[in-house]
Each structure stands twice: as structure tokens, then as C-alpha cells.
């Protein structure tokens, strides 16, 4: 995490990066809710090295590093993505710690403003106020006489977005807050955001799978992968197309039944949760947060270091997780690797929220990487839904075949999302170690 008194440069988002969707709704019961935090996050320290031959992460200070009052060194980032191994940089890029014409990133804070009272407390109060506004809009657009389903869905997304940010900050900056209060509220917000995410996730998953089936079974069916003899390849493709055409409609109907049922149950669970005493207790706690942020007792937790050190630790954990991701040449279809990518996605979210608190703005360089991890999550869960549907008892062989092709297609989407992440990840040191 760059310190506010350290000159920085905001790296532009790579041109290949998809459009920003930093708050793509996470989804179902088998996945931690959007407000949920990685298991074991907190006291764990990053390893000294990202990987073989990589630079040290733990040594954040060194000659030439600028310091805050009190002598604490400024953490240094790995080289930006524009750096090359020969030490040269593309035209228009700047070394770490330099910024053209002395400019500073928009919204960056000065070191004197980086205290819990000046930075963290206003941020939490603002997110709490946004939570309450979204809740009011949700109630207004969820009335029986209101036909604005899209407005209600937008209010739900805004409600979850603010809940995730509050939860993430309570986790990262726990030492600067009342720890018991922070742990309790974070757990309740994780429960709420997880409940609210499932209905939307099932609907998106069904849309994704049905569209993929239509593309696979249509006239533009992609050629089979691998090298075949011309005659054998044509015969096999024709047979595969015919079998897929027969089973695609049944597979789509099966997926629609399963996922629509899951969506309906999730909708009922969300309505039940929003009417429960547990939810009203959460809303009351957030309402109190909008006016009063319980800080840690004593002055020690209110200095700049109380925010800088946790934010830098969140960044180091992210870099370590990225370095530990499987390299690009690993065997595809290895579903055991999915958990590491999901963990990286959660750590990236925590880092983004900490960046908003410390620097007063989001980091645009991470937009493409975050979107790629969202696409990765969606493809993994869609592949899992196709595989689960294929295990339905007594389905026709053509249906099972179509679901198998659909599963393989979504796993290829997983690999594509991983490739996009590697291309858009802005720090070359972390990925070079993999």
C-alpha cells in the first residue's frame, strides 16, 4: 500500500482489460458470501519471498524510501506491469515513487489526514449511510404494488456492495476498532450479503449456461480440439453435432428446472431473512455505525500506522497469493486449483477496500484483474452446475453428453479468465515467480 506522503503514479488500466465491474455479485450457498472473508485472514504473515528468484516482500524499507513522521519506512511496490526485464520502460511510464509534474493520484490523502478519526471513521460512516439508503430503496421497490423489479434488484446490489465494504474494513482494520464489536458485525454482514447474493447468482448462472448451450448446439459449433485425420474429423464432428443437438434442448430444460428451483428457494430465504429479528439487529447496528464508530481504546490505535500497517499487510497477502497461483502451463481442467483463485479474489477485494480507505480512491490498475477473477468465479460455478446436472439419475445419454460438452466449455472459460488475469495483473514481479 503506497503511503500518502510517498509520490506515486497511478498506472493506467491495460487496454485489454474488460469493463469495470468491481462489485459483481458473488453467489451461492457453496461459496462464501460477498461479505465473507478468507479463512485464517488476519494474523498470518506473508512469506519472505514471492517465489524462487523473486524480490523480498517483507523488506518494505530501504535506501531512498520516503518516511512518515516517526521514521516508519514507506512500503515499495513491485515494478509495474510496464517494466521490462532489461530495466527499460515503455514511453510515458515512470519509475516507482515518481509522478509526472509532481501530480498526485486523485483523492490521495496527506499523512496528517491518515488517522482513524480522519480516514477510517468517515469511510465507515459513509458506507453505513449508503447501506441505509439502499435498504430504504429496497423496501420502496419491493412493495406488492411496485412493478419495478429492476429497481429492487439494483437496491439489493447497492445494499450488498456497502455491506461488503463495511465487512472488509472491519476485518482489515480490526486493530483500530473495538475488536468484539467488529467481529460480531462482520459476521452478521457476511450472513446478510451471502443470503442476498444467491438469488441473483442462480439467475445469472442459468442465463450463462443456456446461452452457452445455444452457441454449442448451433451451426457455429466449434471444431473439436486436437489433430485428427480429415475424414475421421468430419465424421466425428457430424456425429457430435447431431448428438449435441438432440441433448441440448433437454439439458437446457433440466438446468432451468434445477436452477429456477434453487433461485425460488433463495428468494424465499432472502425474504425470510429480511423480515427476521436477526436482520433488524444488523440494520440497527449499521444505523448506529452511521453516527458513531467504536474505535479501539487509547491513542495507539488512532495514529497513521494503525491504518498503514494493516493496509500494507493486506497488500502483501494479496501479492503472496498471486505468486502462489499455478503457472500458465499447468494441466487444464484441474478443479483442485480453483480454491487458490477464489482466495486470491477475496484478498484482492480486501486490498481494494483498504486502498479506498488509505488513499481515498480506488486503484484503477486493478480493475481488469478484479473483473477477470469475477469471470473466473462465474465460470467455475457454471461448470459445477453443469456437472451436478449431469449426475441426475436416469437422464438420457444425449442429455448427459450435452451437459458434458457444456461442462468442458465452461472449464475452458475458466482457463480463459485465468489468462486474462495474468495479462491484466499490473505487477510483473509476483507473476514472474510462478
Amino acid at each position: 500500500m503506497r503511503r500518502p506522503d510517498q509520490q506515486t503514479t497511478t498506472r493506467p488500466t491495460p487496454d485489454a482489460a474488460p469493463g469495470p465491474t468491481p462489485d459483481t455479485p458473488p453467489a451461492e450457498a457453496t461459496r462464501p458470501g460477498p461479505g465473507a472473508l478468507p479463512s485464517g485472514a488476519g494474523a498470518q504473515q506473508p512469506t519472505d519471498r514471492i517465489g524462487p528468484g523473486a524480490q523480498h516482500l517483507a523488506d518494505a524499507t530501504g535506501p531512498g524510501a520516503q518516511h512518515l513522521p516517526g521514521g516508519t519506512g514507506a512500503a515499495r511496490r513491485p515494478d509495474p506491469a510496464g517494466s521490462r526485464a532489461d530495466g527499460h520502460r515503455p514511453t510515458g511510464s515512470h519509475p516507482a515513487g515518481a509522478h509526472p509534474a509532481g501530480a498526485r493520484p486523485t483523492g490521495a490523502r496527506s499523512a496528517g489526514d491518515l488517522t482513524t478519526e480522519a480516514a477510517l471513521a468517515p469511510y465507515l460512516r459513509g458506507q453505513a449511510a449508503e447501506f441505509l439508503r439502499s435498504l430504504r430503496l429496497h423496501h420502496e421497490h419491493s412493495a406488492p404494488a411496485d412493478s419495478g423489479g429492476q429497481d429492487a434488484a439494483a437496491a439489493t446490489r447497492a445494499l450488498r456492495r456497502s455491506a461488503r465494504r463495511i465487512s472488509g474494513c472491519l476485518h482489515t482494520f480490526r486493530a483500530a476498532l473495538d475488536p468484539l464489536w467488529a467481529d460480531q458485525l462482520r459476521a452478521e454482514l457476511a450472513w446478510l450479503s451471502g443470503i442476498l447474493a444467491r438469488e441473483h447468482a442462480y439467475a445469472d448462472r442459468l442465463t450463462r449456461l443456456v446461452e452457452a448451450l445455444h452457441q454449442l448446439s448451433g451451426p457455429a459449433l466449434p471444431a473439436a480440439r486436437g489433430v485428427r485425420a480429415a475424414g475421421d474429423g468430419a465424421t466425428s464432428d457430424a456425429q457430435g453435432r447431431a448428438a449435441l443437438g438432440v441433448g441440448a434442448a433437454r439439458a437446457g430444460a433440466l438446468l432451468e428446472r434445477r436452477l429456477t428451483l434453487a433461485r425460488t428457494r433463495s428468494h424465499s430465504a432472502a425474504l425470510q431473512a429480511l423480515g427476521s429479528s436477526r436482520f433488524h439487529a444488523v440494520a440497527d447496528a449499521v444505523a448506529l455505525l452511521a453516527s458513531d464508530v467504536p474505535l479501539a481504546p487509547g491513542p495507539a490505535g488512532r495514529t497513521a500506522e494503525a491504518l498503514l500497517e494493516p493496509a500494507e499487510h493486506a497488500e502483501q497477502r494479496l501479492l503472496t497469493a498471486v505468486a502462489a497461483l499455478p503457472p500458465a502451463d499447468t494441466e487444464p481442467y484441474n478443479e483442485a486449483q480453483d480454491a487458490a483463485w477464489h482466495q486470491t479474489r477475496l484478498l484482492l477485494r480486501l486490498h481494494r477496500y483498504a486502498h479506498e480507505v488509505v488513499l481515498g480512491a480506488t486503484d484503477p490498475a486493478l480493475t481488469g484483474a478484479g473483473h477477470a477473477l469475477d469471470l473466473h468465479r462465474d465460470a467455475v460455478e457454471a461448470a459445477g452446475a453443469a456437472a451436478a446436472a449431469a449426475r441426475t439419475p436416469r437422464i438420457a445419454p444425449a442429455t448427459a453428453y450435452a451437459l458434458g460438452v457444456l461442462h468442458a466449455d465452461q472449464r475452458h472459460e475458466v482457463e480463459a479468465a485465468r489468462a486474462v488475469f495474468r495479462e491484466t495483473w499490473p505487477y510483473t514481479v509476483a507473476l514472474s515467480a510462478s
Side-chain angles (χ1 to χ4, degrees), residues 7-419:
Q7 291 183 344
T8 56
T9 179
T10 302
R11 292 171 298 278
T13 305
D15 294 337
T21 55
D23 296 299
T24 303
E28 63 178 300
T30 58
R31 186 180 77 249
L37 298 161
S39 60
Q44 179 180 353
Q45 296 293 331
T47 58
D48 287 343
R49 293 183 180 268
I50 294 179
Q55 298 178 357
H56 282 278
L57 286 178
D59 297 332
T61 60
Q66 300 185 19
H67 295 269
L68 284 174
T72 304
R76 293 180 295 182
R77 286 180 180 271
D79 290 338
S83 302
R84 295 189 344 213
D86 57 7
H88 297 285
R89 297 174 183 273
T91 303
S93 65
H94 300 271
H99 201 77
R104 301 179 67 87
T106 303
R109 303 181 188 278
S110 65
D113 293 336
L114 190 59
T115 63
T116 51
E117 290 92 344
L120 179 59
Y123 182 88
L124 287 174
R125 286 196 296 266
Q127 294 300 327
E130 180 62 27
F131 180 97
L132 297 176
R133 281 193 295 269
S134 302
L135 182 58
R136 176 177 56 82
L137 291 175
H138 184 274
H139 286 326
E140 291 176 357
H141 295 299
S142 298
D146 191 343
S147 58
Q150 295 297 326
D151 292 334
T156 300
R157 286 193 295 269
L159 187 67
R160 292 173 38 240
R161 184 164 53 245
S162 56
R164 289 198 304 268
R165 279 168 166 76
I166 295 172
S167 179
C169 289
L170 295 180
H171 169 74
T172 300
F173 302 106
R174 179 179 181 272
L177 302 164
D178 180 342
L180 180 60
W181 166 84
D183 291 343
Q184 292 177 344
L185 182 56
R186 180 168 64 90
E188 293 304 291
L189 289 173
W191 162 77
L192 175 63
S193 55
I195 287 288
L196 295 179
R198 292 169 191 158
E199 177 185 0
H200 181 73
Y202 283 124
D204 285 352
R205 196 168 306 143
L206 176 60
T207 301
R208 180 188 183 95
L209 289 171
V210 170
E211 288 178 354
L213 270 177
H214 288 166
Q215 293 175 358
L216 291 171
S217 61
L221 181 67
R225 292 177 172 82
V227 179
R228 300 176 180 173
D232 293 342
T235 303
S236 178
D237 287 345
Q239 293 175 348
R241 190 184 304 275
L244 186 58
V246 171
R250 295 178 181 177
L254 176 60
L255 288 169
E256 185 170 2
R257 287 195 303 270
R258 290 173 61 91
L259 293 176
T260 300
L261 177 60
R263 180 185 179 185
T264 301
R265 290 175 175 172
S266 297
H267 179 72
S268 300
L271 292 179
Q272 184 178 3
L274 291 174
S276 66
S277 58
R278 183 178 182 181
F279 169 75
H280 289 295
V282 175
D284 290 343
V286 175
L288 292 175
L289 177 62
S291 59
D292 179 31
V293 178
L295 301 177
R302 308 195 179 197
T303 63
E305 289 305 310
L307 299 185
L308 283 172
E309 290 181 1
E312 290 172 355
H313 179 57
E315 183 180 48
Q316 300 294 352
R317 293 191 67 217
L318 170 63
L319 294 175
T320 304
V322 171
L325 291 175
D329 57 355
T330 53
E331 182 181 359
Y333 303 109
N334 188 349
E335 299 179 3
Q337 299 174 354
D338 293 341
W341 288 86
H342 294 328
Q343 176 77 353
T344 301
R345 177 178 171 273
L346 293 175
L347 292 174
L348 177 57
R349 171 175 289 172
L350 289 177
H351 168 63
R352 285 176 43 235
Y353 298 162
H355 195 283
E356 292 177 4
V357 172
V358 173
L359 294 184
T362 58
D363 187 354
L366 294 175
T367 297
H371 184 64
L373 290 178
D374 288 337
L375 294 177
H376 178 273
R377 183 270 323 271
D378 293 342
V380 166
E381 293 180 345
R391 292 192 292 269
T392 303
R394 299 184 298 277
I395 60 174
T399 306
Y401 173 75
L403 290 170
V405 172
L406 181 59
H407 174 267
D409 174 74
Q410 292 304 301
R411 291 305 303 181
H412 283 295
E413 292 294 323
V414 170
E415 296 299 321
R418 293 178 181 179

